[in-house]
Amino acid sequence: MADNYLERKMEEHRRGPMPAYRRRVTSRGLPPGTVSFPFPVRRIVVLLAVEDPDTATAEARVALRDSIVKALAATGCRVAFTEGDIVSRNRLAQSSGACGVAPGDIDIVSARWEGLDSSVTITGNSMTTDINICPHFGDSRHACIRLPAACCDTGAAVHAVLWSLVEGNDYLLDTIISIGC
């Protein structure tokens, strides 16, 4: 019994260390359950129009804006956003790599970047939050993503914004996409 054990251990020693666990990946090298699609590099401005005095919904909209800015910047897009508070503006700009500007200074960014390609505007009232996406800056057609005002789960809204900006998804223009939380 002891001889078999020693022989097995010696064989393992001769073969070398066990190979590390290899994660399963798809043919594109992605983990199972993920999707990859080409995303155009654009110059995008993200605007937040807070009209609701309720601080809970205003904070939810600011968090939604921050999530959208970070997701767009992570795709390689040039992103500008507006924020009145300079401390919050600098914090988000440093953490995301986006360009933070004071409200009303979008023209400066547009001139510096030689135009804008798309815009994302977050508005709402006490009941709902609307995210209006204009994939072609200056075009009157847009996609609207509507979610409850104090929605804390921003992941679906961020995915919908990204999907609305993908080339060839013009069928989403002039539609309202409702997301429930």
Side-chain angles (χ1 to χ4, degrees):
M1 181 100 167
D3 290 337
N4 290 340
Y5 174 77
L6 291 174
E7 287 175 17
R8 248 191 342 249
K9 284 297 180 186
M10 197 60 175
E11 267 310 305
E12 288 176 9
H13 179 68
R14 286 187 191 118
R15 276 185 280 166
M18 291 291 291
Y21 174 73
R22 188 170 172 190
R23 279 182 58 188
R24 298 175 117 203
V25 293
T26 61
S27 61
R28 292 183 149 234
L30 299 171
T34 59
V35 175
S36 175
F37 49 86
F39 194 82
V41 177
R42 292 189 172 155
R43 299 164 295 188
I44 301 173
V45 62
V46 180
L47 305 168
L48 176 62
V50 178
E51 302 163 356
D52 193 5
D54 184 16
T55 57
T57 56
E59 289 175 5
R61 288 186 185 121
V62 168
L64 178 63
R65 190 259 335 254
D66 295 353
S67 298
I68 291 171
V69 167
K70 288 177 182 178
L72 288 171
T75 64
C77 291
R78 295 177 82 177
V79 182
F81 66 94
T82 59
E83 174 63 51
D85 180 25
I86 193 165
V87 175
S88 299
R89 183 184 332 148
N90 289 341
R91 187 178 302 126
L92 179 58
Q94 289 174 355
S95 67
S96 66
C99 176
V101 296
D105 289 347
I106 293 300
D107 294 336
I108 296 169
V109 172
S110 179
R112 188 179 304 153
W113 288 354
E114 299 173 355
L116 295 171
D117 298 322
S118 304
S119 69
V120 177
T121 307
I122 302 168
T123 61
N125 55 32
S126 61
M127 300 296 291
T128 61
T129 298
D130 290 342
I131 306 168
N132 295 307
I133 301 119
C134 295
H136 312 291
F137 194 75
D139 190 359
S140 63
R141 300 181 316 151
H142 66 278
C144 178
I145 300 168
R146 182 167 290 159
L147 55 151
C151 183
C152 296
D153 181 22
T154 59
V158 170
H159 287 120
V161 168
L162 292 173
W163 187 248
S164 299
L165 290 169
V166 170
E167 292 289 333
N169 286 346
D170 288 342
Y171 65 90
L172 294 173
L173 296 177
D174 297 327
T175 61
I176 296 176
I177 304 163
S178 295
I179 298 176
C181 291

